[in-house]
Amino acid sequence: MKNGPRQRATIIDVAERAGVSKSTVARVLAGSASISDEARDRVLKAVAATGYERNHLAVGMRSGRSGMLGLVIPDITNPFWAEVARGAQDRAAKDDISLLVFSSDWDAGTEATHLRALRRARVDGAIINPVADNFDDLDRFGLPFVFIGSSAERFPDTLSVGSDIAQAVRLGMDILVERGHPAPALMLGPRSRLARARFLRAVHEHCIARDIDPDILLVEESDYTVEGGRKAMGRLLAGPWRGSRAVFVANDLMALGAMIAVREAGLRCPEDISILGFDGIPAGAFSWPGLTTIEKPGRQIGIRAVECLLDQIAGRPEHGRIFLPCRLVERGSLADVSASVAVRTAAGR
Amino acid sequence: MKNGPRQRATIIDVAERAGVSKSTVARVLAGSASISDEARDRVLKAVAATGYERNHLAVGMRSGRSGMLGLVIPDITNPFWAEVARGAQDRAAKDDISLLVFSSDWDAGTEATHLRALRRARVDGAIINPVADNFDDLDRFGLPFVFIGSSAERFPDTLSVGSDIAQAVRLGMDILVERGHPAPALMLGPRSRLARARFLRAVHEHCIARDIDPDILLVEESDYTVEGGRKAMGRLLAGPWRGSRAVFVANDLMALGAMIAVREAGLRCPEDISILGFDGIPAGAFSWPGLTTIEKPGRQIGIRAVECLLDQIAGRPEHGRIFLPCRLVERGSLADVSASVAVRTAAGR
DNA sequence: ATGAAAGCGCTAACAA
DNA sequence: TTGTTAGCGCTTTCAT
C-alpha cells in the first residue's frame, strides 16, 4: 500500500538541465518556430530526462484556458445520457480536452450547484441539458455553452444539439402505416414535458398529411417509467380500442412496461398488440420480443455538442440549433397486418 | 445566440469594494476565525455585489490541491460502470470535488493517455479500473490512487475497492442448491480474465464444502457478450447434460444471450432451463422472464472508492483492499425443482 | 534566437 | 485583527 505522489518537474528544472531559459523551454513546448535546432534538441532531451509534464493549472491560469469542458446531464446512469457522455468524451479527448461530468437528477437546484462548480473550475465551456424552466442564470452564467436534449427546446435562441423528433415521429408513423397500423394508439409522457408537445405535434402533422383525423387516435398518458408504461397499457387494454392494435410509445422504458402489461393480460406481442418504442435503449434488445424502436443518436449528440462548443469558444461561426436524425431499429415488436387489417379490425374487441 | 463569457471578479475587486486587503478577503473565504465581524460583513457584501467566485485554478496552483479527482473506467456506457461513476460523482460532490471521467475501452494505450491527462490536469488523485497487465507506471504514476473492479486483483499490494466475488458465488450456489440445482452448469468468461479464476475458485470451494465433486460441473466458456452467451448456450444445449437443467452464468449479458438461445431452441426459461446471472444490469429486469441475478454494488463501489482516495490524500489511515458484498435479485429465471429434482433428472435428455 | 521580467488569482508566511 | 509580500508554474511582451 505505497501508492503516493512525488515531486514533479517544472519548466525550471527542464530549463536548468537544458542550460537554457524558461522562455526557451516554453517556446519549444508551444512549438514556436524561432528556435535553434540545437536548443530544441536539448530541451526535448531534458523533458524526457526529467519526465516533465506541463501543469495545466498553471497554463490555464496564465492563458485563461483550462483545457476542460463541463457536461451536465440528468443522470449518467441513464443509458441515453451515458451514450451522450461517451460521445462527448471521445470527441473532447481528440483535442486533448478533459470533461467534468455531473448528474443533475432533473433537479434545478442540483443543476445550479453543478454549474457553479464548473465556473469555479474555470472550464472553457459547458454542455448542458437544462432542467431549470427559466434558465435566468443564462446570461449570468458567464461561460460559453451549448444545450443538448429535448428540454433545450425551451430556449430557441440558444445554441443546441438534439435529436430530430419530428423526423423520428414521421419515421415511426410511416413504418406503422406500412405495417397496416394507420391509426395507432399513442402513449405519451407527462403533460409538463416539452418533448410531449413536440411529439404530438409531429403526429398531427403526419395525420393531416395523410388525411387522417388526428382525434381518432387513442391517447394515453404516463410518466416515462416502466411501471408507468405497464399501468398505462393496462388502461388502454381495458378501454375501447379503435383501429388496429398498435401503440406508438414515446419512450422505450414505457414501451417495455407496456409489453409486460400485454403479457399480463394474456395477450401476445406482436400477434395481438404491436408496440413501437422511442429512444433506443440497450434493454430493448433483450426483451421478448425485441423492441422495435426509434433510436436517438446519443453518441452523435455528444460529439456534435463538443464540436459546436469548441467552435463557439474559438469564435468560429456558430451553428444555431442542430437536430440530428433518428434511426429505426427493427426488432420483433411490430406485426405486419397490412394484408389483413380489415379482418383484424372486425375481429377486434 | 448570444451565450458568451464575461469578465469575472477577482479577490482584488472584492477587497477594493470592501475596503480591506486581499488577505482579509481570503481569510473570510476560508472561514478563518481571526476576523472582525465588521470586516467579514463587508467582505460578504462585496462578494455578493461583485458576484465573485473563487478561481479554482488559482487556488489549486497555490495550494497544490486542484479539487478534482480522476475516474478511469472501461466504458461509461456500460451500466455497471455508469453506476460506479454515479456513486463516485455523488460522493465527490458532497466534498465539493469535481470528477474528470474517462473511458479506457479496456485498452492499455488509451488508459495511459488518460492517466497522463489526469496528471497534467493536476487532479488530487485517481480512481482506476486498471487494464494494463503490468501497471509498471504504477510507481511512476505520481498520484494517489485507488483501484476498482475485479482487475484490481492483479495488484494485491494496492488500495482497492471491489465486489466480493467469493461471497457472490456462495450466494448464487446456495440459492441454486435451495432450488434443487446442486450441480449447475457454469458459463464463464475468457480464460485471460482474472475474474474467471476467482469465480471458479469460489465455486470449487463451495463444492468441496458441500461434498460435491467440482469436476462433474459442465463448464462452457464465452466472452461476456450477449452474442457470446447465446452461442455458448447453444453449445451447452447441444451437448450432454448432467444433473438439473440450470446454468450459473458469470455475467448478465451472457445470461441474457443464453435466455435467447433457450427460446431459439424451442425451450422455456425457467421451466426447461434455469438461468442465474451475475452483475445486476438494468436490462435484466426487462427480459422475459426477468433475470434472477447477483447484483454487484456498483454505486457503493464508487462511493467507497472516493472515500478511500480522499482518506489517502489526507494521509488518514489507509484501508487496504475492500470487498463489498453482492446481493441476490430474484426475478423469474430460476425454477424451483427442489421437490421434483429426481423426476426431472430422469426425464432430462 | 534567446533571456529577463512581469503577472495570471490566489494563499501563506511574516510583520505590524 | 489586519496588511504586506513572496511566490505557485507558466506565457508573453520587451529587450538584447
Side-chain angles (χ1 to χ4, degrees):
Chain A
M1 314 283 167
K2 33 92 209 254
N3 16 340
R6 260 184 343 162
Q7 196 46 51
R8 280 184 288 230
T10 78
I11 204 173
I12 299 189
D13 301 323
V14 176
E16 274 174 6
R17 183 154 190 137
V20 296
S21 73
K22 291 191 322 178
S23 334
T24 304
V25 176
R27 285 188 190 105
V28 171
L29 262 32
S32 166
S34 323
I35 289 286
S36 70
D37 287 349
E38 137 121 66
R40 185 192 331 277
D41 217 56
R42 294 169 56 187
V43 167
L44 259 23
K45 278 209 181 72
V47 165
T50 54
Y52 169 79
E53 250 164 358
R54 232 200 188 111
N55 182 336
H56 276 194
L57 289 171
V59 173
M61 214 181 135
R62 195 50 243 241
S63 66
R65 281 252 184 297
S66 64
M68 303 187 301
L69 297 180
L71 176 65
V72 184
I73 53 181
D75 184 8
I76 190 65
T77 264
N78 172 313
F80 172 71
W81 290 113
E83 279 291 332
V84 173
R86 186 61 210 267
Q89 256 178 26
D90 291 353
R91 182 60 189 78
K94 261 197 197 166
D95 284 30
D96 206 31
I97 286 173
S98 306
L99 221 54
L100 288 175
V101 183
F102 291 93
S103 298
S104 69
D105 275 327
W106 288 277
D107 176 73
T110 310
E111 172 178 75
T113 305
H114 292 332
L115 293 182
R116 213 173 308 126
L118 289 180
R119 248 174 296 147
R120 288 186 305 212
R122 289 307 193 260
V123 296
D124 298 328
I127 298 168
I128 307 165
N129 174 253
V131 309
D133 299 329
N134 55 342
F135 210 83
D136 40 348
D137 305 305
L138 205 110
D139 302 311
R140 268 171 286 146
F141 183 47
L143 235 51
F145 65 89
V146 169
F147 279 157
I148 49 173
S150 50
S151 60
E153 308 234 346
R154 280 170 306 194
F155 309 95
D157 298 332
T158 294
L159 299 187
S160 67
V161 181
S163 38
D164 191 339
I165 298 194
Q167 173 263 355
V169 169
R170 248 177 284 133
L171 208 59
M173 293 303 280
D174 283 347
I175 187 75
L176 250 7
V177 166
E178 195 184 310
R179 294 286 207 279
H181 310 280
L186 265 24
M187 190 185 297
L188 306 177
R191 241 165 252 283
S192 57
R193 298 296 206 88
L194 220 110
R196 175 196 158 110
R198 190 161 181 76
F199 190 97
L200 209 44
R201 195 183 334 137
V203 171
H204 279 203
E205 277 162 14
H206 166 98
C207 287
I208 285 157
R210 298 236 173 205
D211 227 7
I212 300 173
D213 177 6
D215 292 337
I216 67 163
L217 300 187
L218 231 44
V219 173
E220 191 53 67
E221 179 165 324
S222 188
D223 63 357
Y224 288 139
T225 68
V226 173
E227 191 45 30
R230 208 189 112 249
K231 287 192 184 135
M233 191 67 195
R235 272 175 264 140
L236 229 31
L237 254 17
W241 196 309
R242 290 162 290 221
S244 73
R245 305 268 255 168
V247 191
F248 192 177
V249 184
N251 119 323
D252 276 355
L253 250 24
M254 288 196 295
L256 257 8
M259 231 180 235
I260 293 175
V262 167
R263 208 152 31 216
E264 285 173 343
L267 298 170
R268 286 160 313 157
C269 171
E271 291 84 351
D272 301 307
I273 306 270
S274 281
I275 294 178
L276 175 61
F278 190 136
D279 268 356
I281 67 173
F286 313 133
S287 63
W288 185 255
L291 180 64
T292 294
T293 190
I294 316 261
E295 185 187 64
K296 291 185 195 166
R299 202 166 290 218
Q300 272 305 315
I301 290 176
I303 293 172
R304 293 294 296 274
V306 168
E307 287 173 348
C308 188
L309 184 54
L310 254 24
D311 281 349
Q312 196 196 338
I313 292 169
R316 264 166 264 152
E318 300 183 352
H319 304 270
R321 304 167 75 198
I322 299 175
F323 296 101
L324 267 19
C326 301
R327 193 172 72 86
L328 178 72
V329 179
E330 289 220 52
R331 293 195 275 247
S333 64
L334 223 56
D336 186 346
V337 298
S338 54
S340 59
V341 64
V343 181
R344 291 196 130 251
T345 307
R349 63 139 76 201
Chain B
M1 313 279 168
K2 30 86 206 265
N3 18 339
R6 262 184 341 164
Q7 197 47 51
R8 279 183 289 232
T10 78
I11 202 173
I12 299 188
D13 301 323
V14 176
E16 274 174 4
R17 182 154 192 138
V20 297
S21 73
K22 292 192 319 179
S23 338
T24 303
V25 176
R27 285 187 190 106
V28 171
L29 263 33
S32 166
S34 322
I35 288 286
S36 68
D37 287 349
E38 138 123 66
R40 184 191 334 276
D41 218 56
R42 293 169 60 186
V43 167
L44 259 22
K45 279 209 180 70
V47 166
T50 54
Y52 168 79
E53 249 164 359
R54 233 200 187 114
N55 182 336
H56 276 195
L57 259 54
V59 172
M61 197 164 161
R62 190 56 244 233
S63 67
R65 281 252 184 299
S66 63
M68 303 188 299
L69 297 180
L71 176 66
V72 184
I73 52 180
D75 184 7
I76 189 66
T77 264
N78 172 312
F80 172 71
W81 291 113
E83 279 290 333
V84 172
R86 186 62 209 266
Q89 257 178 27
D90 291 352
R91 183 59 188 79
K94 260 196 198 166
D95 284 31
D96 205 31
I97 286 173
S98 306
L99 222 55
L100 288 175
V101 183
F102 291 93
S103 297
S104 69
D105 275 326
W106 289 276
D107 177 74
T110 309
E111 172 179 76
T113 305
H114 292 331
L115 294 182
R116 212 173 310 124
L118 289 179
R119 247 173 296 144
R120 287 187 307 213
R122 290 308 193 260
V123 296
D124 298 329
I127 299 169
I128 307 165
N129 174 253
V131 309
D133 299 329
N134 56 342
F135 209 84
D136 39 349
D137 306 304
L138 206 111
D139 300 313
R140 266 172 289 145
F141 182 47
L143 234 53
F145 65 89
V146 169
F147 279 159
I148 48 173
S150 50
S151 61
E153 308 235 344
R154 281 170 307 194
F155 310 94
D157 297 333
T158 294
L159 299 187
S160 67
V161 181
S163 38
D164 191 339
I165 299 194
Q167 173 261 355
V169 169
R170 248 178 284 131
L171 208 59
M173 294 302 282
D174 282 348
I175 187 76
L176 249 9
V177 167
E178 195 184 311
R179 294 285 205 279
H181 311 278
L186 265 24
M187 189 184 299
L188 306 176
R191 240 166 253 281
S192 57
R193 298 298 205 83
L194 221 109
R196 176 197 157 111
R198 191 161 180 76
F199 190 98
L200 209 45
R201 195 182 334 135
V203 171
H204 280 204
E205 278 163 12
H206 166 98
C207 287
I208 284 158
R210 297 240 172 201
D211 227 4
I212 300 172
D213 177 6
D215 292 336
I216 68 163
L217 300 186
L218 230 43
V219 172
E220 190 55 65
E221 180 165 323
S222 189
D223 62 358
Y224 288 139
T225 69
V226 173
E227 191 46 30
R230 208 190 111 247
K231 288 189 183 138
M233 192 67 196
R235 272 175 264 140
L236 230 30
L237 254 18
W241 196 308
R242 291 163 292 221
S244 74
R245 305 267 255 167
V247 191
F248 191 177
V249 184
N251 119 323
D252 277 355
L253 250 26
M254 289 196 295
L256 256 8
M259 231 180 235
I260 293 175
V262 167
R263 209 154 29 213
E264 284 172 344
L267 299 170
R268 286 161 313 157
C269 172
E271 292 83 350
D272 302 307
I273 306 269
S274 282
I275 294 178
L276 174 62
F278 189 138
D279 266 357
I281 67 173
F286 313 135
S287 62
W288 185 257
L291 180 64
T292 295
T293 190
I294 316 263
E295 185 186 64
K296 291 184 194 166
R299 201 165 291 220
Q300 272 305 316
I301 289 176
I303 293 172
R304 292 295 296 272
V306 168
E307 287 173 347
C308 187
L309 185 54
L310 290 177
D311 281 349
Q312 195 196 339
I313 292 170
R316 263 167 264 150
E318 300 184 352
H319 304 270
R321 304 167 77 198
I322 299 175
F323 296 101
L324 267 20
C326 301
R327 194 172 73 86
L328 177 72
V329 179
E330 289 219 53
R331 294 196 272 247
S333 65
L334 223 55
D336 186 346
V337 299
S338 55
S340 58
V341 62
V343 182
R344 291 195 130 252
T345 306
R349 65 140 76 200

